Amino acid sequence: MKITEIDAFQMSWAENDRPSQRSAFVIIRTDEGLAGIGEASPMQGGLASLGIIHNDLAPMLLGQDPLDHAVLLDRAMHTLIKLGPDGALTGALAALDIAMWDLKGKATGLPIYKLIGGAWKTALPFYASIGGNGERSPDEVVRIVEERLKDQPSAIKIRFDNKRTNLDTDLAGDIAKARVVRQLVGEGFPLAFDANNCYTVGGAIRVGRALEELGYWWFEEPVQHYHLRAMGEVARALDITVSAGEQTYTLPSLNDLINAGVRMVQPDIVKMGGITGLLRCAALAHAHGVELVPHQTQPVIGHTANLHVVASLLQNTKPVEWNDPSARMHPPFKNPPVPISGLFHLSESPGLGLTIDETELKKRRRELIRGVDNDGR
């Protein structure tokens, strides 16, 4: 089997959306008539990753066997190492890796979780990941949490999404929001708090102490992700589990985070080398005795790929993340993942198990032309 085409493009989700608001997709086609789909990190619409795929990676991979994906993409990583290794390059490699695993499944007639080695369970609970709470009042936070509880999540994570240059702006207000959510859901319901890097070490420890008293499950990225020593200092000072890793792009960087003292790591499959990369992260986390709870906010391709990996993990300790309950990203797929009674169910179909609606895909795709989309924006 040989790669004959690598098609990198954006997907538009609203009529007048900007390129930075779109998703970054890749389809790999082969001489045997098979096609695999993948997704890159959507930061700024994934345009940087898509450009690397189109200009640099596709010429290297055409004519190659996609079943050699680990060798091919490790070679590509080191060939283009000066473009990264963090960020756009690893996002590009992640998209290609997911697409090649999808191809591998279709070539063998097996779902990805079977190729990994099997699933401990194929029905997975999720936690509702709720962003934008930095600008909401406590009453508004309560209302949106009440709405998401209708989806029957196993846990709730409230995210703040504050500007990362404004630190410790409203510690008392943030704690008040954490408190009203606890009052809403009751003492036993699992809760998580994602600070999105918006505290100093002192501010993080103050908030973390309050979260401990409120019985929160974990405290995510309390300080700037690139200050590893500071992240470790907060983790060691608190009893609540401190997590980080969604902005970590290489295995050595994840190892550094663990060595700093973080005991729950959250790499993202569309940023961290795809399925191959996330499996390597799982092995590293297991070797160090830390929890692996992947970050994942993309609702279809990234989410489905993540489900396959998480289902295969012996050390699966937390529900999977589900960020966007709307159906706005569903139309290009005939069978997008949707929870049933609080559970996502893995398909037994080959590869990812997703079926593309070609008409809808064509309607929403936006081509890359000299770094911009076909609307000239």
Side-chain angles (χ1 to χ4, degrees), residues 260-273:
V262 173
R263 311 317 293 165
M264 177 172 148
V265 293
Q266 298 186 279
D268 191 312
I269 200 166
V270 301
K271 300 177 181 178
M272 176 60 119

Side-chain angles (χ1 to χ4, degrees), residues 3-30:
I3 297 172
T4 57
E5 182 184 4
I6 296 179
D7 184 14
F9 57 95
Q10 284 193 307
M11 285 298 294
S12 175
W13 305 116
E15 185 176 353
N16 296 314
D17 62 3
R18 300 185 303 276
S20 61
Q21 296 173 310
R22 300 170 185 165
S23 292
F25 284 8
V26 62
I27 294 177
I28 299 178
R29 297 183 177 87
T30 73

Side-chain angles (χ1 to χ4, degrees), residues 54-55 367-373:
H54 179 76
N55 296 318
E367 309 298 341
L368 303 176
I369 302 175
R370 295 188 179 90
V372 299
D373 72 306

